[in-house]
Amino acid sequence: MKFRVRCRLDYALHSPATLIFLCRASRTPPQSLSFEHLALRPDAPAELVVTPPAENRFDRVSIARASTLSLTYEAGGETACRRVPADSLRRAAPGRVQADHLPFLLPSRYCQSDRLGRLAWRKFGSIRNPYDQVLGITRWIHENVEYLPGITTSMTSAYDTVTQCAGVCRDFAHLGIALCRALAIPARYVAAYSPKLALPDFHACFEVFIAGQWLLFDATQKSPPDALIRIGTGRDAADVSVCTAFGMVTLTFQEVRCECLDGGLHGIGADEMETTAISFDPPRR
Amino acid sequence: MKFRVRCRLDYALHSPATLIFLCRASRTPPQSLSFEHLALRPDAPAELVVTPPAENRFDRVSIARASTLSLTYEAGGETACRRVPADSLRRAAPGRVQADHLPFLLPSRYCQSDRLGRLAWRKFGSIRNPYDQVLGITRWIHENVEYLPGITTSMTSAYDTVTQCAGVCRDFAHLGIALCRALAIPARYVAAYSPKLALPDFHACFEVFIAGQWLLFDATQKSPPDALIRIGTGRDAADVSVCTAFGMVTLTFQEVRCECLDGGLHGIGADEMETTAISFDPPRR
Amino acid sequence: MKFRVRCRLDYALHSPATLIFLCRASRTPPQSLSFEHLALRPDAPAELVVTPPAENRFDRVSIARASTLSLTYEAGGETACRRVPADSLRRAAPGRVQADHLPFLLPSRYCQSDRLGRLAWRKFGSIRNPYDQVLGITRWIHENVEYLPGITTSMTSAYDTVTQCAGVCRDFAHLGIALCRALAIPARYVAAYSPKLALPDFHACFEVFIAGQWLLFDATQKSPPDALIRIGTGRDAADVSVCTAFGMVTLTFQEVRCECLDGGLHGIGADEMETTAISFDPPRR
Amino acid sequence: MKFRVRCRLDYALHSPATLIFLCRASRTPPQSLSFEHLALRPDAPAELVVTPPAENRFDRVSIARASTLSLTYEAGGETACRRVPADSLRRAAPGRVQADHLPFLLPSRYCQSDRLGRLAWRKFGSIRNPYDQVLGITRWIHENVEYLPGITTSMTSAYDTVTQCAGVCRDFAHLGIALCRALAIPARYVAAYSPKLALPDFHACFEVFIAGQWLLFDATQKSPPDALIRIGTGRDAADVSVCTAFGMVTLTFQEVRCECLDGGLHGIGADEMETTAISFDPPRR
């Protein structure tokens, strides 16, 4: 899929502040960029900070006094996912914990898997294999949580969403991650652009590690999981926030655009995932 | 400081379970081990999992059926800290965010720095330099939080401790970390053995990154920060729990021992930290 | 049902303290007492405080210095419930809000009906009449919450129990009440003795107001709702705590006994409630 | 003080709904009304529900289908408070718990006095008499909590405000109430109109029971406590919400007006409360 993304973010700074942006499209394979351009108005030096292992590319900006700041970003590139037969996943032997995955098994700011353990085991514990467990979790979230902007805040966590039964993509992803981790399935948060959202915005979904690869799931069903331009990957939204601000900072305007440039992207349907999983891992040798 | 540590942990497993232990003393410089021995009863294969960057050394054990499990660990070794003149820290220019430190600036499971921002700025925002801010935070916690076992649980977070005003070392560390991060000071959790605790137990304190090095603080004042044998380092207790269990598992017995073998360890006093900070970073070239 | 109840409560007072006990069996009709005896050791003046409208009978004791305090209570009496045909409840026209019931429609300390609204409507909103809604709620709680002592504390609320899926009678009652109030059904907490508990203890269940009367429900299924000796009634456990203490007070011992004296009490089964509801309201003229 | 109040509230009803309004000025002595007028558009029958003991006057409206609803209310009347010399309060013997006050000593939805006990005792426990304790609490809240609209929601409780350090009148009152109850001082929530608010809105403050009377406190210092037209009294905001809605209901417009008609109302200053307390209880015989 060839894509083009664009965003604009305006902030009011009520004090000196440091802002750490994460809005660049990833260029970790299989995703690559043909161009990108990030501009700040007023002009200010931005330091690129790249964090292993997911290679999230942050832009760090320090502003010495109260002012406004406008960021525009534009990029074009290409990405591709692999379709993985679900049956091979169902038959795979349970994997070993890898050192890199441990953080994705542990509770995090918005994914209190330690508190959702009993719920996860009661609802999904008897399902035979991890792939079907994740499918079950995704379906359960879709059925029990209403997609409803304006209900949740940046404080809302998976613990809340179970009870509040409403939220946006971020909340859907957090709940999916927390339930997977409670079942000992490594799960991580993916911040992304998507060309398929009815209302263009930043998007979020989650990946789980099964049978040697990360597989993408989206409980919102607002965007097919194969139609995704990755921004970054982390434990939860705290790791890959569009803007982490130190100081008194208010977002005053936001605009997001994302286009698929090669026409006929259908996108995999929720039902198709019974037979086919989606992975953005580079092809294995 | 030469040391010897020992622990025994007994568990009842009510179901098949995977347990990930973190009780080995670190052997990342400046700490080194002359011997170590870990045993499981009944005997079971343990897989060593070492996570970068802090090189925490986990032992992963999977048990296929309900049973009991007893772990004993023993190790001897040596460690050393450096004393850093506080004035050099006070004069240091503010550092840049390094990629490795970003996770230690963001909110985590038990350290909701996003929710403690106003409190941190109101209480400590006008203090001139990061070192004195952390000293102020440590002193404030010591004065406002009662060291009281049995009040808090593994669910208790920094957000709770502000209001509940009581807790154990883990809670003191979480609150310190959350307040530091809210002030844009990288802060991380240290799980440790300590020879100085009146009641031998696992201990916890925290490190902050100032002027190019990690400095150790302990708001409990139960153990001097230079008398510490590190087990591991993480964002908070979720990363370096003695035992992360997947399955129905209950701790039935715990015993911890830690001795300093070279006699006259005094340990730095809380007052001395006005002039001298403690760092366990290896000497810089 | 003729009954005899007894309890003993021992406390350590670490400071001067005021304790407000609620352990007396109610003598509001249809329940009556043939005798009762309350004693404090060391002897201390207890002031009886009776609160309308439910006529809870509190004993207020002020102790001027750190000490121990032991309360023993014993009473005998009689109570009776009415069986109400469920179909008459199903057919009843929706009632008007009465002034006395308003408090039982609003959120309270442990029953945050304001936060459980969406859950309640999604799960039970399409059920036709209030009686079947409450039956549905009771069944859902029984199926989704595990009766498990030791998991929850006096801080645990309905909001937590939805996610934690475990608790004791108090938690079951709170969740039932919160869901009913969210559906605009007045619901209140009942503290009680029960002769049917396998492990003798204080018990809790809840009442809802439908078709002109309060009806008793018990989602734990540990005690049939018609086998209940009422202690008191309130918005939730905060109103009818066995002991509300002001000061530093620890419970050191508790023993509860409750016997049914007229032999063959069967108790209504959970299934029978499809056709028959239980009310402890006095017969209507 | 002669007053005139007015409010308009517009709602969108997305489903059939029952709304319980509490916007009428109280006419419990010493407050009286010379006229009042409540209108609904479209016209709908409103049932007046008066709850003891505080005699809150609710209007209950049931609307059978999705629609809009606009309420306007207007009233005029008179009220008067008494000034009570603080020294007489300081010297008063500690009172006995009265049955009517018990609910105001217990934790409630937004005032978790059970969780704020240690904080209350550490900060205010050593102050000699209840009146100075409440003054200390009011001052501490004013100094530590920022008056900042838009930060808190209808979910925010006293437990949150301790940490978030920001809120509106409702949050200030909840925190004051929770701290007072933790110190065994009966405290209740007062919903009110105030002619002194810079931005006209519904207001909230709290009353405590000392030396035989209810005394009014306002930690916001936005309105002097003697310049208050009472709407209702309750345990916390849950009891005296302007509108408690059952169904899917959104507030779309709100306007509040309140005038003092007899000119020279100065209002008591925060400093004056060192020597003079304010009570709206009717004069005692």
Side-chain angles (χ1 to χ4, degrees):
Chain A
M1 177 175 62
K2 292 205 164 126
F3 62 81
R4 190 177 171 127
V5 298
R6 214 170 63 191
C7 72
R8 179 169 151 206
L9 302 162
D10 293 357
Y11 295 88
L13 281 60
H14 312 293
S15 72
T18 294
L19 299 97
I20 301 174
F21 294 103
L22 181 62
C23 63
R24 290 177 187 267
S26 167
R27 53 187 199 200
T28 303
Q31 191 167 297
S32 62
L33 299 189
S34 55
F35 79 94
E36 75 173 338
H37 183 68
L38 185 143
L40 295 169
R41 196 152 312 191
D43 198 22
E47 178 191 359
L48 191 67
V49 176
V50 182
T51 57
E55 296 180 11
N56 298 330
R57 298 188 304 139
F58 295 90
D59 290 280
R60 177 188 181 280
V61 182
S62 288
I63 305 287
R65 69 185 133 282
S67 65
T68 60
L69 184 70
S70 178
L71 175 152
T72 52
Y73 174 71
E74 201 166 354
E78 196 166 357
T79 190
C81 64
R82 290 183 300 117
R83 294 177 160 240
V84 184
D87 280 343
S88 69
L89 300 168
R90 290 185 173 103
R91 281 191 310 263
R96 296 193 163 186
V97 171
Q98 301 178 24
D100 287 359
H101 298 162
L102 204 47
F104 303 115
L105 278 170
L106 298 173
S108 61
R109 172 68 182 90
Y110 298 111
C111 305
Q112 304 96 330
S113 44
D114 52 321
R115 303 192 78 169
L116 277 82
R118 195 167 287 104
L119 181 70
W121 282 99
R122 288 182 80 94
K123 298 254 180 236
F124 312 106
S126 63
I127 299 176
R128 278 290 180 72
N129 64 77
Y131 185 73
D132 285 322
Q133 286 180 318
V134 182
L135 273 190
I137 287 170
T138 308
R139 206 176 297 123
W140 182 82
I141 295 173
H142 185 73
E143 281 161 14
N144 284 279
V145 181
E146 197 172 335
Y147 190 91
L148 208 56
I151 297 292
T152 55
T153 71
S154 67
M155 305 296 183
T156 307
S157 66
Y159 189 77
D160 301 303
T161 303
V162 171
T163 305
Q164 294 185 200
C165 301
V168 293
C169 56
R170 161 194 172 103
D171 305 301
F172 281 67
H174 284 155
L175 185 48
I177 292 167
L179 291 169
C180 288
R181 288 185 194 161
L183 298 173
I185 303 170
R188 64 188 193 185
Y189 186 94
V190 179
Y193 293 99
S194 163
K196 289 291 195 178
L197 293 177
L199 295 169
D201 199 348
F202 292 108
H203 193 53
C205 48
F206 69 104
E207 286 180 318
V208 302
F209 194 82
I210 295 176
Q213 63 226 290
W214 288 101
L215 305 170
L216 205 96
F217 289 84
D218 188 336
T220 66
Q221 298 190 10
K222 296 284 173 198
S223 168
D226 52 348
L228 215 79
I229 292 102
R230 181 177 310 240
I231 297 173
T233 308
R235 288 190 173 190
D236 61 27
D239 278 8
V240 290
S241 181
V242 175
C243 177
T244 302
F246 298 92
M248 304 300 239
V249 173
T250 321
L251 178 69
T252 53
F253 178 80
Q254 174 181 308
E255 193 181 42
V256 178
R257 291 286 164 80
C258 177
E259 292 157 86
C260 167
L261 301 181
D262 35 18
L265 170 71
H266 288 294
I268 190 169
D271 292 347
E272 273 183 85
M273 296 196 73
E274 284 290 337
T275 54
T276 311
I278 296 296
S279 173
F280 279 90
D281 283 1
R284 292 192 274 179
R285 280 128 302 170
Chain B
M1 175 176 61
K2 292 203 164 127
F3 62 80
R4 190 177 170 129
V5 298
R6 215 170 61 191
C7 73
R8 180 169 149 205
L9 301 162
D10 293 357
Y11 293 89
L13 281 59
H14 312 293
S15 72
T18 293
L19 299 98
I20 300 174
F21 294 103
L22 183 62
C23 62
R24 291 178 187 267
S26 167
R27 54 188 198 201
T28 303
Q31 192 168 296
S32 62
L33 299 189
S34 54
F35 79 95
E36 74 173 337
H37 183 69
L38 185 144
L40 295 169
R41 195 152 314 191
D43 199 21
E47 178 191 0
L48 191 66
V49 176
V50 181
T51 57
E55 296 180 10
N56 298 329
R57 300 188 302 139
F58 294 90
D59 290 279
R60 178 187 181 281
V61 183
S62 288
I63 306 288
R65 69 184 136 284
S67 66
T68 61
L69 184 71
S70 177
L71 175 152
T72 53
Y73 174 71
E74 201 167 354
E78 196 165 357
T79 189
C81 65
R82 289 183 301 117
R83 295 178 158 238
V84 183
D87 279 343
S88 68
L89 300 168
R90 290 184 175 104
R91 281 191 310 264
R96 296 194 165 185
V97 171
Q98 301 179 25
D100 288 358
H101 298 162
L102 205 48
F104 303 114
L105 278 171
L106 299 174
S108 61
R109 171 69 182 89
Y110 298 110
C111 303
Q112 304 96 330
S113 44
D114 52 322
R115 303 191 79 168
L116 277 82
R118 196 167 286 105
L119 180 70
W121 282 99
R122 287 182 80 94
K123 298 254 181 238
F124 312 106
S126 64
I127 298 176
R128 281 287 183 73
N129 64 78
Y131 185 72
D132 285 322
Q133 286 180 319
V134 183
L135 273 189
I137 287 170
T138 309
R139 205 177 299 124
W140 183 81
I141 295 173
H142 186 74
E143 280 161 15
N144 285 279
V145 182
E146 198 172 335
Y147 189 90
L148 208 56
I151 298 292
T152 54
T153 71
S154 67
M155 306 296 183
T156 308
S157 67
Y159 190 77
D160 301 303
T161 302
V162 171
T163 304
Q164 295 186 200
C165 301
V168 293
C169 56
R170 160 193 173 103
D171 306 301
F172 281 67
H174 285 155
L175 184 48
I177 291 166
L179 291 169
C180 288
R181 288 185 195 161
L183 297 172
I185 304 170
R188 65 189 193 183
Y189 186 93
V190 179
Y193 293 100
S194 163
K196 289 291 196 177
L197 293 178
L199 295 170
D201 199 348
F202 291 109
H203 193 53
C205 48
F206 68 103
E207 286 180 318
V208 302
F209 194 82
I210 295 176
Q213 63 226 291
W214 289 101
L215 305 171
L216 204 96
F217 288 84
D218 188 336
T220 66
Q221 299 190 11
K222 295 284 173 197
S223 167
D226 51 349
L228 215 78
I229 293 101
R230 182 177 310 240
I231 297 173
T233 308
R235 287 189 174 192
D236 61 26
D239 278 8
V240 290
S241 181
V242 175
C243 177
T244 302
F246 298 92
M248 303 299 237
V249 172
T250 320
L251 178 69
T252 53
F253 178 81
Q254 174 180 309
E255 193 181 44
V256 179
R257 291 286 165 79
C258 178
E259 292 157 86
C260 168
L261 300 181
D262 36 15
L265 169 70
H266 287 294
I268 191 170
D271 292 346
E272 272 182 87
M273 296 195 73
E274 284 292 337
T275 55
T276 310
I278 296 295
S279 174
F280 279 89
D281 282 2
R284 293 192 274 179
R285 278 130 301 172
Chain C
M1 176 175 63
K2 292 205 164 126
F3 61 82
R4 191 179 169 125
V5 299
R6 214 170 61 192
C7 72
R8 178 168 152 207
L9 301 163
D10 293 357
Y11 293 89
L13 281 59
H14 312 294
S15 73
T18 293
L19 299 97
I20 300 174
F21 294 102
L22 182 62
C23 63
R24 290 178 187 266
S26 168
R27 52 188 200 201
T28 303
Q31 192 167 295
S32 62
L33 299 190
S34 54
F35 78 94
E36 75 173 336
H37 183 68
L38 185 144
L40 295 169
R41 195 150 315 189
D43 198 21
E47 178 191 0
L48 191 67
V49 177
V50 181
T51 58
E55 297 181 10
N56 298 330
R57 299 189 301 139
F58 295 90
D59 291 280
R60 179 188 180 279
V61 183
S62 288
I63 305 287
R65 67 185 136 282
S67 65
T68 59
L69 185 70
S70 179
L71 176 152
T72 53
Y73 174 71
E74 202 165 354
E78 195 164 359
T79 190
C81 63
R82 290 183 300 117
R83 294 179 161 239
V84 183
D87 279 343
S88 69
L89 301 167
R90 291 187 174 102
R91 281 191 309 264
R96 294 196 166 183
V97 170
Q98 300 179 23
D100 288 358
H101 298 163
L102 204 49
F104 303 114
L105 278 171
L106 299 173
S108 61
R109 171 68 182 91
Y110 298 111
C111 303
Q112 304 97 332
S113 45
D114 52 321
R115 304 191 77 167
L116 276 81
R118 196 167 285 104
L119 181 69
W121 283 100
R122 289 182 78 95
K123 298 255 181 236
F124 312 105
S126 64
I127 298 177
R128 280 287 182 75
N129 63 78
Y131 185 72
D132 284 323
Q133 286 180 318
V134 183
L135 273 190
I137 287 170
T138 309
R139 205 177 298 124
W140 182 81
I141 294 173
H142 186 73
E143 280 161 14
N144 285 278
V145 181
E146 197 172 336
Y147 189 90
L148 207 57
I151 297 291
T152 55
T153 71
S154 66
M155 306 296 183
T156 306
S157 67
Y159 189 77
D160 300 304
T161 303
V162 172
T163 305
Q164 294 185 201
C165 301
V168 293
C169 55
R170 161 193 173 103
D171 307 301
F172 281 66
H174 284 155
L175 185 48
I177 292 166
L179 291 169
C180 288
R181 289 185 194 161
L183 297 173
I185 304 169
R188 64 187 194 184
Y189 186 94
V190 179
Y193 293 98
S194 164
K196 288 291 198 179
L197 292 178
L199 295 171
D201 199 349
F202 291 108
H203 193 52
C205 48
F206 69 104
E207 285 180 319
V208 302
F209 194 82
I210 295 177
Q213 63 226 292
W214 288 102
L215 305 170
L216 204 96
F217 289 85
D218 187 336
T220 66
Q221 298 189 9
K222 297 285 173 197
S223 168
D226 51 350
L228 214 77
I229 293 102
R230 182 176 311 239
I231 297 173
T233 308
R235 288 190 173 189
D236 61 26
D239 278 8
V240 290
S241 182
V242 175
C243 176
T244 302
F246 297 92
M248 303 300 238
V249 173
T250 321
L251 177 69
T252 53
F253 178 80
Q254 174 180 307
E255 194 181 41
V256 179
R257 290 285 165 79
C258 178
E259 291 158 85
C260 168
L261 300 181
D262 35 17
L265 168 71
H266 287 295
I268 190 170
D271 291 347
E272 273 182 87
M273 297 195 72
E274 284 291 337
T275 55
T276 312
I278 296 295
S279 174
F280 279 90
D281 281 2
R284 291 192 275 179
R285 281 129 300 170
Chain D
M1 175 175 60
K2 292 203 164 127
F3 61 81
R4 191 180 170 123
V5 299
R6 214 171 61 192
C7 72
R8 178 168 152 208
L9 302 162
D10 292 358
Y11 294 89
L13 281 59
H14 311 294
S15 73
T18 293
L19 299 96
I20 300 174
F21 294 103
L22 182 62
C23 64
R24 289 178 188 266
S26 168
R27 53 188 198 200
T28 303
Q31 193 168 294
S32 62
L33 300 189
S34 53
F35 78 95
E36 74 174 337
H37 183 67
L38 186 142
L40 295 169
R41 195 151 316 188
D43 198 22
E47 177 191 0
L48 192 66
V49 177
V50 181
T51 57
E55 297 179 12
N56 298 328
R57 300 189 302 139
F58 295 89
D59 291 280
R60 177 187 181 281
V61 183
S62 287
I63 305 287
R65 67 184 138 285
S67 65
T68 60
L69 185 70
S70 179
L71 175 151
T72 53
Y73 175 71
E74 201 166 353
E78 195 166 358
T79 189
C81 63
R82 289 184 300 118
R83 294 180 159 237
V84 184
D87 279 342
S88 69
L89 300 168
R90 291 186 174 104
R91 280 191 311 263
R96 296 193 165 189
V97 170
Q98 301 178 24
D100 287 358
H101 298 161
L102 204 49
F104 303 114
L105 279 171
L106 299 174
S108 62
R109 171 68 182 92
Y110 297 110
C111 304
Q112 304 95 331
S113 44
D114 52 321
R115 304 191 78 169
L116 276 82
R118 196 167 285 104
L119 181 70
W121 283 99
R122 288 183 78 95
K123 298 255 181 236
F124 312 106
S126 63
I127 298 176
R128 279 287 182 75
N129 64 77
Y131 184 72
D132 285 322
Q133 286 180 319
V134 183
L135 273 190
I137 286 169
T138 308
R139 205 177 298 124
W140 182 81
I141 294 173
H142 186 74
E143 280 161 15
N144 285 279
V145 181
E146 198 172 335
Y147 189 90
L148 208 56
I151 297 291
T152 55
T153 71
S154 67
M155 305 297 183
T156 307
S157 67
Y159 189 76
D160 300 304
T161 303
V162 172
T163 304
Q164 293 185 201
C165 301
V168 294
C169 56
R170 161 194 172 103
D171 306 301
F172 282 67
H174 284 156
L175 185 48
I177 292 166
L179 291 169
C180 288
R181 288 186 194 160
L183 298 172
I185 303 169
R188 63 188 194 184
Y189 186 93
V190 179
Y193 293 99
S194 163
K196 288 291 197 178
L197 293 178
L199 296 170
D201 199 349
F202 292 109
H203 193 53
C205 49
F206 68 103
E207 285 180 318
V208 303
F209 194 82
I210 295 177
Q213 64 226 291
W214 288 102
L215 305 170
L216 204 96
F217 289 85
D218 187 336
T220 66
Q221 298 189 9
K222 296 284 173 198
S223 168
D226 51 350
L228 214 78
I229 293 103
R230 182 177 311 240
I231 296 173
T233 309
R235 288 189 173 192
D236 61 26
D239 278 9
V240 289
S241 182
V242 175
C243 176
T244 302
F246 298 92
M248 304 300 238
V249 173
T250 320
L251 177 69
T252 54
F253 178 79
Q254 174 179 307
E255 193 181 43
V256 179
R257 290 287 164 80
C258 178
E259 290 158 88
C260 168
L261 300 181
D262 36 16
L265 169 71
H266 287 295
I268 191 169
D271 292 346
E272 272 183 87
M273 296 196 71
E274 284 291 337
T275 54
T276 311
I278 296 296
S279 174
F280 279 90
D281 282 2
R284 292 191 274 179
R285 280 129 302 169

